[in-house]
Amino acid sequence: MTQIHPDLEHFNPVTVIGAGTIGLSWATLFLAHGLTVRIYDPRPDLKEVADHHFDSIGSTLTLLNLPSSGFESRLSLESDLQQAVTGAAVIQENGPEKLVLKQTLFADIEKYIEPHTLLLSSSSTIPASDISASMKDKSRMLIGHPFNPPLVMPLVEVVPGKSTSKEAIEDALVFYKALGKAPQHIQKEVFGFVANRLQFAMLREAMYLVDEGVVAMEDVDEIVKDSIGLRWAAAGPMLGMHLGGGQGGMESFMRHLGPTMEKSWAVQGNLILDEETISRLAAKSRDSYGYATIDELAHTRDQKQMAILNLRS
Ligand SMILES: NC(=O)c1ccc[n+]([C@@H]2O[C@H](COP(=O)([O-])OP(=O)(O)OC[C@H]3O[C@@H](n4cnc5c(N)ncnc54)[C@H](O)[C@@H]3O)[C@@H](O)[C@H]2O)c1
């Protein structure tokens, strides 16, 4: 039987709302740490989707040194929201990234739960103050935003809303730490939080350069893996910049390369994702990555990411 971390005992059972990419990955992490998990999703093919996921995730769990069997007795699939959330200690929501849907979902969930239930949303961009707008008690609701896939990636951005209590923030940090994650308490609510704002700034330029024919899509991957990605995995962007300034550090870097950076910011692309742009970039992605299935590509990515994580630790 899988041992539960003592800090996780009062966070059991967990309900995972939404059985897409993120929900199923969280569910796997929770199960592998011995928690009892209910997955709720209104999709009619919930069982097929869950079976496909759990049949293919074993090798990633093994790479993570986590148990990969014995989940069945602690896992249930639910198509009824009330049944799914009643008695849950934690709810991790992973429905579509739509404000009104999330607002309605949390207002509905509130009808069936105990006041102490910890309410977490995986939202990539929408602040907790907006998602909890229709709730009566907003004190236990906050963002627990993972990086895909949450089973593998350490970061979880813990972003409280204006009405989130200190206890709920502390509980979220304890919960994610006990699951082996690296939660970061983000101090102020902004759309997109931190990791995605940084990521999207860079993706905007990468997509623009590919669309303009400056560089092939798969070559962007190589360029980043061999330079920025490697440096940032070791030092992060800000320390990287500080070190780029030599003995004068960050100040020297800004005085020396500041004007060049400003010129570069001024010429950066501002792609509009209209239908034609999406079609052009999608066609390029099929040319670049069509040699393998998404499952195969994701498996290779997980293996490499685990190797890097193991080296780091
Ligand atoms: N994909 C990512 O890289 C990523 C990373 C971090 C966070 N997130 C966030 O996680 C959440 C889920 O993203 P995803 O990529 O897993 O999406 P997804 O489209 O893969 O999955 C969403 C799931 O929600 C289900 N759903 C639809 N209506 C629902 C409802 N009313 N109640 C409950 N479930 C419902 C769908 O059937 C689907 O299975 C989003 O808020 C997203 O911003 C995504």
Side-chain angles (χ1 to χ4, degrees):
M1 214 180 79
T2 309
Q3 282 292 103
I4 297 190
H5 189 293
D7 285 349
L8 285 177
E9 268 160 18
H10 70 287
F11 294 116
N12 203 17
V14 181
T15 298
V16 169
I17 305 273
T21 311
I22 299 302
L24 288 172
S25 189
W26 271 131
T28 311
L29 181 78
F30 301 150
L31 287 162
H33 280 80
L35 294 167
T36 296
V37 175
R38 295 177 216 156
I39 303 178
Y40 164 79
D41 196 306
R43 62 193 296 167
D45 60 348
L46 175 58
K47 182 159 172 19
E48 287 82 353
V49 167
D51 284 351
H52 173 75
H53 171 79
F54 288 108
D55 285 348
S56 58
I57 203 67
S59 53
T60 302
L61 284 163
T62 306
L63 283 170
L64 288 160
N65 282 326
L66 288 171
S68 57
S69 59
F71 295 172
E72 297 79 9
S73 60
R74 289 182 283 110
L75 171 64
S76 57
L77 305 179
E78 306 284 352
S79 53
D80 180 82
L81 184 66
Q82 179 172 1
Q83 212 158 316
V85 300
T86 303
V90 180
I91 293 174
Q92 179 84 45
E93 176 274 323
N94 319 273
E97 187 71 348
K98 292 184 181 151
L99 174 61
V100 174
L101 185 144
K102 286 190 193 289
Q103 281 175 335
T104 311
L105 200 48
F106 276 98
D108 283 346
I109 288 169
E110 191 182 27
K111 294 180 204 152
Y112 311 122
I113 53 164
E114 304 289 326
H116 62 261
T117 309
L118 185 61
L119 300 171
L120 300 159
S121 170
S122 295
S123 173
S124 303
T125 54
I126 312 171
S129 296
D130 294 343
I131 293 176
S132 63
S134 310
M135 295 176 74
K136 290 191 186 84
D137 176 7
K138 309 174 196 329
S139 66
R140 302 283 297 165
M141 199 269 140
L142 68 165
I143 301 295
H145 170 242
F147 232 52
N148 185 35
L151 175 63
V152 176
M153 297 299 263
L155 177 69
V156 186
E157 290 178 297
V158 171
V159 198
K162 290 183 187 73
S163 309
T164 310
S165 68
K166 282 199 174 69
E167 292 73 25
I169 301 170
E170 191 48 39
D171 277 353
L173 294 171
V174 169
F175 176 62
Y176 290 129
K177 268 187 207 150
L179 289 162
K181 298 289 110 183
Q184 280 288 340
H185 177 187
I186 306 300
Q187 307 293 328
K188 203 172 171 181
E189 279 188 309
V190 282
F191 181 82
F193 318 123
V194 176
N196 269 334
R197 285 180 76 120
L198 296 172
Q199 174 176 229
F200 292 162
M202 185 145 174
L203 286 179
R204 181 174 81 167
E205 186 62 4
M207 290 156 85
Y208 171 77
L209 293 173
V210 170
D211 199 39
E212 285 293 302
V214 175
V215 62
M217 202 173 257
E218 66 275 22
D219 291 345
V220 174
D221 295 333
E222 296 310 310
I223 288 168
V224 172
K225 285 192 289 182
D226 285 339
S227 61
I228 309 162
L230 199 55
R231 178 189 291 160
W232 288 0
M238 303 314 282
L239 177 59
M241 196 170 155
H242 186 54
L243 297 176
Q247 293 306 321
M250 177 83 74
E251 184 170 351
S252 208
F253 186 95
M254 288 189 293
R255 292 197 192 289
H256 179 208
L257 287 172
T260 310
M261 274 203 296
E262 280 185 343
K263 254 188 216 162
S264 183
W265 288 334
V267 296
Q268 269 167 14
N270 194 3
L271 213 58
I272 304 297
L273 285 179
D274 53 23
E275 271 311 310
E276 280 116 52
T277 312
I278 291 175
S279 297
R280 278 196 310 276
L281 286 171
K284 289 194 182 200
S285 76
R286 284 189 289 274
D287 288 346
S288 299
Y289 310 119
Y291 61 88
T293 65
I294 295 289
D295 283 351
E296 286 162 352
L297 293 169
H299 181 63
T300 308
R301 175 203 59 194
D302 289 351
Q303 279 183 316
K304 289 185 181 173
Q305 234 143 46
M306 283 313 308
I308 294 169
L309 280 174
N310 287 338
L311 271 179
R312 254 181 26 156
S313 62

